[in-house]
C-alpha cells in the first residue's frame, strides 16, 4: 500500500455502500422512466425526433436532436470499387493480434520481441452483496 497510515473498513461501510448502490439502481430506473415520459410528451406535442422545449413552473425541459452519419464499411468499399473510385478507399494496416498471441503460445514468435508493443489495461470493480446469515 502506498500510504502507511492504517485504513479501516467496517461492516457499516459495506452496508452503506450496499444501500447506496441499491438506491442508485432505483434512482436510475426512475430516471429512465421519467426520461421516457418526457420523450413521449415531446413526441406527442412537437413530433417524433423533433427538437423541443417546455417550461413548467420554475423548470424547463429541452430535447436536442443530434444526427450522425456512419457508412457501412463493407458495402461502401464494395460500391467504391464497383464505381472505380479506389482513391476513396483507405487501406488500414493493423496487426492480427489473435494470430500473434497464438503464434507466441506455440513459440513460433518470441513474446519478448513484442513486449514494448503490448499495452495492458486493468480495471477494478467493487461489488458488495448482502449475506443471508
Amino acid at each position: 500500500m502506498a500510504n502507511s497510515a492504517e485504513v479501516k473498513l467496517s461492516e457499516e461501510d459495506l452496508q452503506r455502500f450496499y444501500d447506496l448502490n441499491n438506491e442508485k439502481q432505483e434512482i436510475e430506473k426512475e430516471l429512465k422512466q421519467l426520461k421516457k415520459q418526457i420523450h413521449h410528451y415531446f413526441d406527442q406535442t412537437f413530433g417524433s425526433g423533433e427538437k423541443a422545449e417546455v417550461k413548467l413552473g420554475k423548470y424547463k425541459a429541452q430535447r436536442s436532436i443530434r444526427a450522425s452519419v456512419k457508412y457501412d464499411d463493407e458495402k461502401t468499399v464494395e460500391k467504391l470499387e464497383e464505381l472505380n473510385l479506389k482513391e476513396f478507399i483507405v487501406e488500414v494496416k493493423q496487426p492480427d493480434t489473435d494470430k500473434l498471441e497464438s503464434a507466441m503460445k506455440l513459440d513460433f514468435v518470441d513474446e519478448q520481441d513484442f513486449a514494448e508493443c503490448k499495452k495492458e489495461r486493468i480495471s477494478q470493480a467493487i461489488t458488495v452483496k448482502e449475506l443471508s446469515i
Side-chain angles (χ1 to χ4, degrees):
M1 204 182 271
N3 190 346
S4 61
E6 190 176 338
V7 178
K8 295 185 180 189
L9 185 64
S10 67
E11 180 183 355
E12 289 76 24
D13 294 332
L14 294 180
Q15 179 183 355
R16 184 72 178 137
F17 183 94
Y18 176 80
D19 291 342
L20 287 171
N21 199 42
N22 283 340
E23 285 179 40
K24 175 185 164 203
Q25 290 174 7
E26 286 300 314
I27 289 169
E28 285 174 346
K29 201 160 113 178
E30 187 175 348
L31 280 170
K32 185 178 178 181
Q33 181 56 41
L34 287 168
K35 199 180 288 187
K36 189 175 178 181
Q37 184 178 336
I38 293 167
H39 274 298
H40 184 69
Y41 172 81
F42 283 150
D43 288 346
Q44 296 298 309
T45 308
F46 298 95
S48 181
E50 293 295 320
K51 183 177 176 182
E53 180 180 305
V54 65
K55 293 177 186 172
L56 297 170
K58 61 180 182 175
Y59 299 99
K60 175 171 82 169
Q62 291 179 296
R63 174 168 69 183
S64 56
I65 305 298
R66 295 182 204 114
S68 65
V69 176
K70 176 94 173 99
Y71 288 92
D72 179 292
D73 290 344
E74 195 174 311
K75 287 181 182 178
T76 305
V77 167
E78 196 175 289
K79 186 57 117 174
L80 287 167
E81 288 175 338
E82 183 182 304
L83 296 171
N84 203 24
L85 296 171
K86 292 184 171 98
E87 65 272 16
F88 296 130
I89 301 171
V90 176
E91 188 175 323
V92 179
K93 291 185 179 184
Q94 63 184 43
D96 186 336
T97 53
D98 292 336
K99 282 184 183 178
L100 181 59
E101 290 283 327
S102 294
M104 287 176 188
K105 285 179 185 170
L106 297 170
D107 288 330
F108 291 141
V109 176
D110 187 1
E111 192 170 347
Q112 294 298 9
D113 291 342
F114 294 91
E116 66 185 40
C117 303
K118 197 173 187 177
K119 293 180 183 168
E120 192 171 342
R121 193 177 81 103
I122 298 172
S123 60
Q124 301 182 98
I126 295 174
T127 58
V128 176
K129 297 179 180 179
E130 188 173 26
L131 299 175
S132 51
I133 302 173

